[in-house]
Amino acid sequence: MKNPVHVAVTGAAGQIGYSLLVRIASGQLLGPDQPVILRLIEIEPAMKALEGVVMELQDCAFPLLKGIVPTCDLNEGFDSASWALLVGSVPRKAGMERKDLLGINGKIFTSQGKAIQENAASDIRTLVVGNPCNTNCLIAMNNAPDVPKDRWFAMTKLDENRAKTQLALKAGVDVTDVKNLAIWGNHSSTMYPNYFDATIGGKAATDVITEEAWYKDEFIPTVQQRGAAIIKARGLSSAASAANAAIDTVANIIKPTAADDVFSVGICSQGEYGIEPGLIYSYPIKSDGEKLSVVEGLDINEFSQQKIKETEAELSEEKTMVSDLL
Ligand SMILES: NC(=O)C1=CN([C@@H]2O[C@H](COP(=O)(O)OP(=O)(O)OC[C@H]3O[C@@H](n4cnc5c(N)ncnc54)[C@H](O)[C@@H]3O)[C@@H](O)[C@H]2O)C=CC1
Ligand SMILES: O=C([O-])CC(=O)C(=O)O
């Protein structure tokens, strides 16, 4: 039996938390032979609701769940954590852009970054889900300067999953036939799902779906606006699909990527493709099971170049908005 891994989750009593925790505790995050200890972090007013979540986790009798630590103390919450999933933050309402949340949510990530640096295990890796996730991740990372910069991630996997499904529906194929589709840039309405490198059944997506107008007028806006469409329909932002994408992201990071595929996650840019170093920017990524690398040498056409710069400009603007938190 392996030693349990401590997984810290903030916002544990929220909607995403409700879908996410059972999946972690049942072995879907780190594998069917990896015991876990859940460190559930909430703010004081949500501790009562968290008690209920803890009771439900206990009532699942998950064989891999070796402990639950519910807390509103960040030091206790991140103690010994090897993974931190930063979900806790306020979701947007209809009519808002995600960056409108920076004023409310940004400061949450300063104290969390500090507490991660001070308390987490030496192999800590952090995935930020709470919006605007790229810039919140930037804030946390900058408040934990001793944690290597390649251990910080912002979630764009949900956008990738959305994009893959839209291509599959249009082409009339199974979603597993769609590969190599990466989200570039910010998890926001400027994100760029770069369909030029995507494949469908092993062929270039643009040879299978040949209508250029469909990509520009339907595909890109649908992916960019999917979060808003869900808020409009449900009155609440996506939760089950967001939790699913968090599970997928960690799996993508810790398992080697298939030769014919890539995945999307926001990482600390080192200037790849001319992007400002230090921004948390989503790229096409491959994992060897240990380390991630940006897929280099892709041919970026004029249209893509404009899109990847547009989303970079928004991230630079968000960085300026939070300069006092960095
Ligand atoms: N990156 C992505 O693809 C996605 C990101 N999101 C974002 O995830 C975040 C959470 O969404 P939901 O679970 O639906 O929201 P929710 O409102 O249902 O739950 C958020 C939870 O976070 C807690 N919280 C607030 N401040 C906290 C703090 N300082 N420390 C710890 N916990 C704190 C709240 O008490 C609440 O229980 C939102 O910012 C949302 O916009 C949502 C979907 C997808
Ligand atoms: O749209 C939102 O505010 C929630 C979110 O990030 C998403 O569903 O992609």
Side-chain angles (χ1 to χ4, degrees):
M1 192 57 139
K2 294 180 175 175
N3 287 330
V5 168
H6 292 248
V7 179
V9 181
T10 69
Q15 336 176 62
I16 295 175
Y18 197 72
S19 289
L20 182 59
L21 298 178
V22 284
R23 298 194 57 182
I24 301 173
S26 64
Q28 293 179 50
L29 188 81
L30 299 177
D33 61 347
Q34 178 57 66
V36 291
I37 292 176
L38 281 174
R39 312 190 74 86
L40 306 181
I41 303 171
E42 260 298 348
I43 48 172
E44 224 285 315
M47 288 307 284
K48 186 76 190 160
L50 186 58
E51 257 177 51
V53 173
V54 170
M55 285 190 257
E56 286 209 59
L57 285 166
Q58 290 169 333
D59 295 350
C60 292
F62 288 121
L64 290 170
L65 184 56
K66 300 303 178 195
I68 310 175
V69 183
T71 182
C72 53
D73 178 297
L74 292 180
N75 295 327
E76 184 182 31
F78 291 116
D79 186 23
S80 309
S82 290
W83 274 97
L85 308 181
L86 306 188
V87 180
S89 51
V90 174
R92 66 175 167 156
K93 306 270 183 315
M96 292 170 77
E97 287 294 332
R98 296 182 185 90
K99 67 182 165 208
D100 297 336
L101 296 168
L102 265 180
I104 319 171
N105 287 341
K107 54 187 173 301
I108 294 174
F109 294 85
T110 56
S111 45
Q112 292 187 355
K114 290 187 177 96
I116 286 171
Q117 171 160 300
E118 275 158 35
N119 300 281
S122 58
D123 62 351
I124 179 69
R125 283 181 282 187
T126 300
L127 172 65
V128 180
V129 174
N131 278 320
C133 62
N134 298 57
T135 298
N136 288 338
C137 182
L138 181 81
I139 296 169
M141 181 181 81
N142 277 279
N143 280 274
D146 296 346
V147 177
K149 299 240 178 309
D150 61 359
R151 310 270 194 80
W152 299 90
F153 309 102
M155 192 168 92
T156 53
K157 182 74 189 177
L158 177 54
D159 310 306
E160 177 196 314
N161 286 344
R162 289 166 171 166
K164 282 180 162 165
T165 296
Q166 292 305 313
L167 290 180
L169 289 172
K170 177 71 176 172
V173 300
D174 194 88
V175 72
T176 56
D177 291 333
V178 181
K179 296 201 159 72
N180 235 34
L181 187 288
I183 304 295
W184 290 65
N186 199 2
H187 174 63
S188 77
S189 53
T190 65
M191 76 180 80
Y192 177 48
N194 187 355
Y195 56 92
F196 289 103
D197 294 315
T199 59
I200 300 178
K203 295 187 200 150
T206 48
D207 289 341
V208 177
I209 304 167
T210 54
E211 298 158 58
E212 190 62 22
W214 177 80
Y215 289 105
K216 293 189 169 144
D217 301 339
E218 291 191 43
F219 171 70
I220 295 176
T222 299
V223 176
Q224 289 177 333
Q225 295 298 333
R226 188 65 156 192
I230 289 165
I231 293 172
K232 194 163 170 223
R234 261 178 32 98
L236 288 168
S237 63
S238 65
S241 56
N244 179 64
I247 299 281
D248 281 353
T249 306
V250 173
N252 283 159
I253 291 170
I254 64 179
K255 291 182 195 158
T257 312
D260 60 351
D261 213 352
V262 298
F263 69 97
S264 317
V265 68
I267 59 159
C268 180
S269 172
Q270 295 183 57
E272 298 90 344
Y273 294 95
I275 301 304
E276 179 185 332
L279 290 179
I280 302 290
Y281 192 94
S282 179
Y283 284 108
I285 302 284
K286 278 188 181 284
S287 172
D288 64 6
E290 303 272 331
K291 287 256 170 227
L292 302 190
S293 54
V294 175
V295 177
E296 302 252 34
L298 295 171
D299 196 17
I300 305 292
N301 63 27
E302 205 178 309
F303 177 78
S304 297
Q305 182 63 21
Q306 187 199 327
K307 294 285 172 200
I308 70 176
K309 292 311 270 184
E310 211 172 281
T311 188
E312 177 199 27
E314 186 185 46
L315 282 168
S316 299
E317 180 202 325
E318 289 183 19
K319 182 181 169 190
T320 308
M321 286 164 70
V322 299
S323 56
D324 56 326
L325 303 179
L326 300 177

